[in-house]
Amino acid sequence: MNAAPRIQTTAGRLAALGFADGARAERLLDELGPEAVGDFALLDDIVRAADPDLALTTLSRLVERDASVLGAFRDDPDLRRRVLGVFGLSAALGEHVVRHPECLPSIRSPRWPTLGDLREEMLVAVGADPDAAEPVAEPATEGVAAGPGTSGPAMEALRVAYRNRLLHLATRDVTGECTLAEAAAALADLASAALEAALAIARAEVADAGDVRLAVIGMGKCGARELNYISDVDVVFVAEPKEGVDETKALQTATRLAQGMMRACSASTPEGALWEVDANLRPEGKMGPLVRSMESHLAYFRRWAKTWEFQALLKARPVAGDLELGQEYVAAVNELVWQAAARPNFVEDVQAMRRRVEAHVPAGEADRQIKLGPGGLRDIEFAVQLLQLVHGRSDPLLRRRATLSALAALSRGGYVGRDDAKALAEAYTFLRQVEHMLQLHRLRRTHMVPSDTADLRRLGRGLGMTTDPVGEFTTTWKRHALEVRRLHEKLFYRPLLQAVARLPETEARLSTAAATARLEALGYADPEGALRHIAALTSGVSRRAAIQRTLLPVMLGWFADAPDPDAGLLGFRQVSDKLGTTPWYLRLLRDETAAADRLARLLGTSKYVTGLLLHAPEAVAMLGSPAELAVRPAATLAAEAAAAVGRYAEDAETAVAAVRALRRRELFRTACADLSGLIDIEEVGQALSSLNDITIQAALDTAINKVTLERRAPFPTRMAVIAMGRLGGLESSYASDADVMFVHAPLPGAVERDAAVAAHAVAEETRRLLALPAPDPPLQIDAGLRPEGRQGPLVRTIASYRAYYDRWASHWEAQALLRARFCAGDAELGREFVALVEPLRYPAEGISADAVREIRKLKARMEAERLPRGADPALHTKLGRGGLSDVEWVAQLIQLRHAGAVPVLRTTRTLDALRAAAGEGLLDPADEEVLAQAWLFASRIRDALMLVRGRAADSIPTPVKERVLLARALGYPPEGTEDFVEDYRRATRRARTVVERVFYEG
């Protein structure tokens, strides 16, 4: 049975067209009459409005007031489209049209009047002569004494004329006939004209108004010609007495004029108010006099002004009153504005001001504030203004009031990357458009994105989002906010040092001495040397020098944030000398701020990283993102190493050089990830050990191939490399040698003597290849833990190892074998070796009491004899009290005593052994935590010593500077060096207490 066809009602069809309330829309259309119902063009224009329901409601009210409107709309489709577009966005302007339908003809022209036309229009509206030098509004109604508040008709006329023009501008805005910048400039011009008319009203009320010259200086968005639809209009007043007039009397008159002008704009009338005139940006704010003379203004700014006041003056522009005086004022204060960046702590003051503004945003509003919240308009404006004020001292092209034009100038000058400037401009335009639509709705000053779905829908549709207005708007807004916040933090919180990189040699404004002082204040120990590096990087007219001039103001600050700024800058110069002609290098640093930031901090922290980078400068490319610094899988690296060995099969040294270059690159990756806090110390040990395994395997393969070629006969034996020590425990450090043992097993039919000679040749060649002088860090192969030590054969057969261990193995050898694991060569042979030593290192019944005493004696003798002369036992990370050796011997003693019966203890890793012991009740969990913390801290320090100094060391250094560098590399603040040392002492002191109780007494 077929379902009955669905019949859609008129209300349903209207709802489908975009009306939220289809039934109400149907009723309102019916009330407009048959003529309107049949006018599909009218309906189309209503439906295209941002809020069709609001547009239809306002139209219905307007038709009730003036039925001829429908005919006018039918005759003039352009007028209809403009007006209905505004009706769908602005209930307030719709209300104005309903009250004043006679205003409609005035908006037919798409042309926007000039500032002069607007001024004339507003002055005529209040009855003033626009051609007069100082226009005065029509006096109060006959019979009413002139005085404050008596110019009601003039103020009402001003409001009507102002809103008529506001309506005209809104129609151009919603139909896309003007850009955001043009609309904002038009609003500022309209405000200037209204201020002039308001001043004319004030002159009608103030006796002796002609005795004083009064200039109204626009500030903020009014001064920058980027005003909102509804906003406080920020101004300051400057006055001068006319010839022969007492200054005190003139200032009193000017104050009354200023008060009258402000009242003429903000007073409530039957036509409402225009906006508040805010004069709080004047010297001393609310506590200062409303009007000052030019001399008084300048005296204040020279002596008392705070940083934020110069930032505000960046936007200053004469907007009403005596424009000649206003221009003199702006010219005078500009000289101060563009020197403000030389003030002490200027950048920090501006940054602190931004933080204070943000902190005052109520917590519940921050995520919906498009002006003051994170990712809002203020983030863009503050960043742009700070860059202008800093660099505008020496670059006049940056001296612009409006945000978008200033941002474009910053981009052209190289102070902001093109992509960053584009993203900020797009976000600023979007946020200002949203701000305009929010304010247009009720003509109320608001910057809060609403949570109501209907309001969000109106915003989305007003921006041309029709498929999913709410979802599209929210997604776009959040995307822009996140990008703005990212770029704000990138631009606003970078040290902006106009004193160095962009300073021409002939520039007189900032001497070399001043630049040197600034570098010294940033923490450079050798400012003159830093200037030489900077000059070498930035001199000339090449593109490379131009980009360096853009990069260095940023990077100098990042170097200053690193432990050793001088080393960082030197390293940067060296790397740039090697890569400066490479097209991608400077482009990467300019466009990928994270890469430049990370490079600066690494070069200023680690001589080890700098050394690696100088021999492989192309590795800079991996600094662009944390993902690039992730440790690569061992299988991937092994395949790459094997491919390199295969490519150079005929040339052993070249083959291993390629593998060592791979190792160098991965050492750099690991060190960068380590210093950037992307991996912890256990992951560092795992990565370095795995990398060493792969390198040894590649060198072994190369050596076998070489020996085979030299013998001109098949290789007669299988070989395996057994990792020992920290390599065996997967705990290698940057300075670690590779402790190993070599084992071989002759192939069936091979002559044992021949196999031994071949195996020995391969082991020696492996060691030689990995220790060859080269730009890459060597990997020293240490086979000293083999049976009989350095006196014994370098390579043994599996049978020889078995015979030795069965007869001669000492307790220390069993202890050393706790770290033994296969790392390279023949895997099956490696497993055989590991199986061979299992009973020795994990004795089924544990070790005897005599063996325990012997191990304790050996440990005590090592503490007494092996600690370097003069070393502080409390600060030696390896052999000192509570250091690595203490913790490792505790773990190993537990393993020797219990691993035979407790399989989970059978691990080559120290911390895993301690955790397993705690899990099995063989070690108190609190003791395990103390030991682990000390071991981790000591391991981090050993690695950090290598990273910072570029050479191995085991003791925390005594010189203060070296301690500071080490502490900073470990994440301590500049003032935290003593905290670092005390933290280590505390951790190892607690560990030593556990060692004495568990190792020596347990």
Side-chain angles (χ1 to χ4, degrees):
M1 181 175 178
N2 294 330
R6 182 179 178 185
I7 301 174
Q8 191 175 29
T9 64
T10 301
R13 288 196 296 271
L14 290 171
L17 288 173
F19 289 95
D21 187 342
R24 183 172 180 275
E26 180 183 11
R27 178 174 57 79
L28 290 176
L29 285 170
D30 287 341
E31 290 175 359
L32 289 177
E35 185 178 0
V37 173
D39 189 345
F40 293 111
L42 175 67
L43 182 59
D44 284 346
D45 284 338
I46 294 173
V47 168
R48 275 196 290 266
D51 186 342
D53 298 84
L54 177 59
L56 179 55
T57 299
T58 306
L59 176 62
S60 175
R61 293 183 57 219
L62 178 58
V63 171
E64 285 182 14
R65 177 73 180 269
D66 184 356
S68 67
V69 166
L70 288 176
F73 280 1
R74 185 170 56 254
D75 295 338
D76 191 342
D78 182 63
L79 177 66
R80 179 186 67 225
R81 178 171 56 88
R82 290 165 176 273
V83 173
L84 291 177
V86 172
F87 283 1
L89 272 177
S90 178
L93 287 177
E95 178 65 30
H96 176 75
V97 176
V98 170
R99 287 201 314 273
H100 301 283
E102 70 278 2
C103 72
L104 289 178
S106 67
I107 63 174
R108 279 196 169 98
S109 170
R111 188 188 69 83
W112 180 253
T114 65
L115 175 58
D117 293 338
L118 289 171
R119 177 179 179 275
E120 180 177 348
E121 188 176 316
M122 296 301 123
L123 287 170
V124 168
V126 300
D129 179 4
D131 294 326
E134 294 180 342
V136 179
E138 286 184 352
T141 306
E142 186 177 349
V144 179
T150 61
S151 299
M155 287 194 289
E156 288 184 36
L158 174 60
R159 283 149 178 72
V160 172
Y162 179 87
R163 291 211 173 85
N164 287 348
R165 277 301 170 194
L166 199 66
L167 173 68
H168 181 193
L169 177 60
T171 65
R172 301 185 72 245
D173 196 357
V174 300
T175 54
E177 293 169 12
C178 63
T179 64
L180 169 72
E182 290 168 341
L187 285 164
D189 288 347
L190 182 56
S192 296
L195 288 170
E196 193 68 72
L199 186 56
I201 292 173
R203 288 195 186 101
E205 299 176 343
V206 175
D208 302 324
D211 289 348
V212 64
R213 299 171 66 197
L214 176 65
V216 183
I217 309 299
M219 305 288 282
K221 284 184 164 55
C222 179
R225 295 187 79 230
E226 50 186 10
L227 200 61
N228 297 331
Y229 272 96
I230 185 68
S231 175
D232 289 354
V233 173
D234 295 310
V235 301
V236 295
F237 298 99
V238 59
E240 291 293 327
K242 290 190 176 178
E243 188 174 351
V245 178
D246 177 71
E247 180 175 315
T248 301
K249 178 178 179 296
L251 288 175
Q252 291 171 347
T253 300
T255 299
R256 291 195 299 275
L257 282 173
Q259 291 168 337
M261 187 201 80
M262 295 169 71
R263 185 170 55 251
C265 294
S266 60
S268 179
T269 73
E271 291 292 337
L274 291 182
W275 13 254
E276 291 292 324
V277 178
D278 189 341
N280 290 335
L281 293 177
R282 66 186 184 268
E284 299 180 83
K286 294 180 180 179
M287 306 305 294
L290 182 62
V291 182
R292 288 177 182 256
S293 67
M294 174 91 77
E295 183 180 349
S296 177
H297 272 280
L298 296 177
Y300 172 85
F301 289 132
R302 290 185 180 118
R303 186 170 184 183
W304 303 110
K306 298 180 177 60
T307 296
W308 69 263
E309 292 177 282
F310 293 106
Q311 187 179 354
L313 285 169
L314 181 66
K315 307 287 189 181
R317 176 178 67 94
V319 293
D322 191 317
L323 298 181
E324 183 180 347
L325 175 61
Q327 291 288 5
E328 293 173 8
Y329 174 85
V330 170
V333 299
N334 272 348
E335 292 185 12
L336 302 176
V337 167
W338 297 112
Q339 294 301 316
R343 293 161 58 94
N345 302 315
F346 173 81
V347 172
E348 293 81 359
D349 287 348
V350 176
Q351 292 169 344
M353 172 60 72
R354 174 63 187 123
R355 288 192 290 270
R356 283 196 296 273
V357 169
E358 193 171 317
H360 281 85
V361 179
E365 296 182 4
D367 62 343
R368 307 198 74 82
Q369 255 276 3
I370 63 168
K371 180 181 179 182
L372 303 178
L377 291 163
R378 277 291 186 270
D379 273 357
I380 301 173
E381 292 163 352
F382 264 73
V384 169
Q385 289 164 21
L386 180 57
L387 287 165
Q388 281 184 277
L389 288 165
V390 168
H391 295 291
R393 293 183 63 203
S394 57
D395 191 345
L397 295 177
L398 302 182
R399 300 177 185 181
R400 299 164 186 267
R401 297 186 180 95
T403 302
L404 287 176
S405 62
L407 183 57
L410 287 165
S411 179
R412 286 192 297 272
Y415 303 95
V416 178
R418 289 188 294 268
D419 290 343
D420 291 349
K422 180 182 177 183
L424 284 174
E426 289 176 352
Y428 185 79
T429 300
F430 174 83
L431 293 172
R432 287 296 306 274
Q433 287 173 330
V434 173
E435 182 182 46
H436 280 187
M437 284 190 284
L438 287 171
Q439 296 177 349
L440 266 174
H441 185 49
R442 299 288 181 190
L443 284 185
R444 290 177 184 165
R445 187 171 178 268
T446 179
H447 306 95
M448 289 286 292
V449 175
S451 56
D452 181 73
T453 301
D455 291 332
L456 291 173
R457 181 172 179 269
R458 183 180 66 254
L459 289 174
R461 284 174 59 91
L463 291 165
M465 302 168 181
T466 55
T467 304
D468 176 18
V470 175
E472 289 181 58
F473 167 74
T474 303
T475 300
T476 304
W477 166 43
K478 293 298 184 183
R479 173 173 57 80
H480 280 307
L482 286 172
E483 183 69 357
V484 167
R485 191 58 173 182
R486 181 185 73 81
L487 292 173
H488 170 76
E489 291 175 350
K490 168 184 169 181
L491 298 173
F492 189 66
Y493 289 103
R494 68 187 187 185
L496 305 168
L497 306 176
Q498 76 280 19
V500 184
R502 297 190 59 86
L503 183 65
E505 292 183 8
T506 57
E507 178 61 64
R509 293 188 180 184
L510 187 62
S511 65
T512 300
T516 302
R518 191 169 291 262
L519 284 165
E520 189 173 27
L522 278 168
Y524 288 82
D526 182 11
E528 293 182 0
L531 282 173
R532 288 194 296 273
H533 296 318
I534 291 161
L537 287 165
T538 61
S539 60
V541 295
S542 67
R543 180 167 180 78
R544 170 189 173 186
I547 296 177
Q548 289 282 23
R549 286 193 292 269
T550 301
L551 283 171
L552 274 170
V554 184
M555 297 192 71
L556 287 171
W558 287 334
F559 292 133
D561 289 339
D564 191 342
D566 299 83
L569 181 56
L570 172 60
F572 180 67
R573 178 183 175 184
Q574 292 170 329
V575 172
S576 294
D577 285 345
K578 287 181 176 288
L579 279 178
T581 57
T582 305
W584 58 263
Y585 168 61
L586 291 176
R587 184 170 64 243
L588 170 74
L589 298 185
R590 181 195 62 202
D591 296 339
E592 296 289 340
T593 303
D597 186 0
R598 193 171 282 119
L599 175 64
R601 296 177 194 277
L602 289 169
L603 293 175
T605 301
S606 174
K607 291 182 179 178
Y608 181 79
V609 165
T610 302
L612 291 174
L613 194 56
L614 288 177
H615 294 299
E618 67 279 357
V620 169
M622 70 176 67
L623 298 179
S625 72
E628 286 290 324
L629 296 179
V631 176
R632 298 177 66 200
T636 302
L637 294 176
E640 189 176 342
V645 170
R647 276 196 307 275
Y648 305 107
E650 304 297 322
D651 186 342
E653 293 187 1
T654 301
V656 172
V659 174
R660 287 176 62 181
L662 179 153
R663 178 172 178 266
R664 174 192 58 209
R665 184 193 70 203
E666 297 307 315
L667 286 172
F668 176 78
R669 190 191 310 274
T670 302
C672 293
D674 184 2
L675 288 167
S676 301
L678 301 175
I679 54 177
D680 62 28
I681 191 65
E682 287 190 82
E683 292 170 313
V684 170
Q686 173 76 55
L688 295 176
S689 300
S690 179
L691 184 57
N692 288 342
D693 287 354
I694 291 164
T695 306
I696 293 169
Q697 178 69 65
L700 182 69
D701 290 342
T702 303
I704 290 173
N705 184 60
K706 180 180 179 182
V707 170
T708 300
L709 291 173
E710 290 173 349
R711 286 167 47 87
R712 300 188 180 184
F715 195 64
T717 188
R718 294 181 297 145
M719 286 192 69
V721 182
I722 307 302
M724 302 288 286
R726 298 186 74 81
L727 177 61
L730 296 170
E731 298 161 353
S732 293
S733 68
Y734 297 104
S736 291
D737 291 343
D739 290 314
V740 304
M741 295 193 298
F742 292 98
V743 58
H744 81 105
L747 293 171
V751 177
E752 287 196 16
R753 174 64 181 166
D754 183 48
V757 170
H760 181 84
V762 165
E764 288 286 15
E765 181 65 8
T766 300
R767 291 168 47 159
R768 185 188 74 85
L769 289 171
L770 291 176
L772 283 173
D776 313 299
L779 179 58
Q780 300 291 346
I781 300 295
D782 187 343
L785 292 176
R786 65 186 184 269
E788 301 177 85
R790 303 188 187 280
Q791 301 305 312
L794 182 60
V795 188
R796 289 178 182 258
T797 64
I798 195 86
S800 176
Y801 276 106
R802 181 179 292 109
Y804 176 87
Y805 288 137
D806 285 347
R807 185 172 183 182
W808 303 108
S810 63
H811 297 302
W812 76 261
E813 287 178 301
Q815 184 178 349
L817 287 169
L818 287 168
R819 301 285 196 104
R821 68 172 179 84
F822 166 74
C823 75
D826 188 289
E828 182 180 350
L829 181 59
R831 286 191 292 271
E832 289 178 27
F833 181 89
V834 170
L836 165 67
V837 301
E838 289 285 285
L840 184 61
R841 63 180 177 175
Y842 305 138
E845 304 299 327
I847 57 174
S848 66
D850 288 342
V852 172
R853 282 194 294 274
E854 186 175 334
I855 290 172
R856 288 171 175 167
K857 288 180 182 178
L858 179 60
K859 175 72 169 69
R861 189 165 66 250
M862 287 178 59
E863 290 179 14
E865 298 175 359
R866 293 187 58 188
L867 193 69
R869 180 178 299 178
D872 184 345
L875 298 179
H876 197 281
T877 60
K878 183 177 180 181
L879 301 175
R881 293 190 292 270
L884 295 170
S885 180
D886 268 4
V887 177
E888 290 164 359
W889 281 60
V890 169
Q892 291 160 12
L893 181 58
I894 293 173
Q895 288 179 291
L896 289 169
R897 298 174 82 174
H898 302 288
V902 184
V904 293
L905 287 172
R906 298 174 188 176
T907 174
T908 64
R909 309 192 70 171
T910 303
L911 295 186
D912 285 352
L914 292 174
R915 291 165 186 147
E920 293 296 320
L922 301 172
L923 181 67
D924 188 290
D927 290 343
E928 182 270 329
E929 182 179 354
V930 167
L931 293 172
Q933 287 180 350
W935 189 91
L936 289 168
F937 203 167
S939 296
R940 289 180 61 219
I941 291 172
R942 285 190 81 204
D943 274 1
L945 282 165
M946 182 65 176
L947 290 171
V948 170
R949 304 171 70 182
R951 62 182 188 275
D954 290 317
S955 284
I956 295 175
T958 301
V960 173
K961 181 180 179 181
E962 290 191 26
R963 281 193 178 182
V964 170
L965 297 178
L966 180 62
R968 293 287 305 280
L970 290 166
Y972 284 82
E975 67 279 4
T977 304
E978 291 309 312
D979 290 340
F980 151 62
V981 176
E982 185 53 39
D983 286 349
Y984 179 73
R985 290 180 184 274
R986 185 184 304 109
T988 52
R989 192 164 53 240
R990 294 175 65 203
R992 182 64 180 189
T993 301
V994 174
V995 171
E996 290 176 350
R997 174 164 40 81
V998 174
F999 183 81
Y1000 287 108
E1001 300 173 9

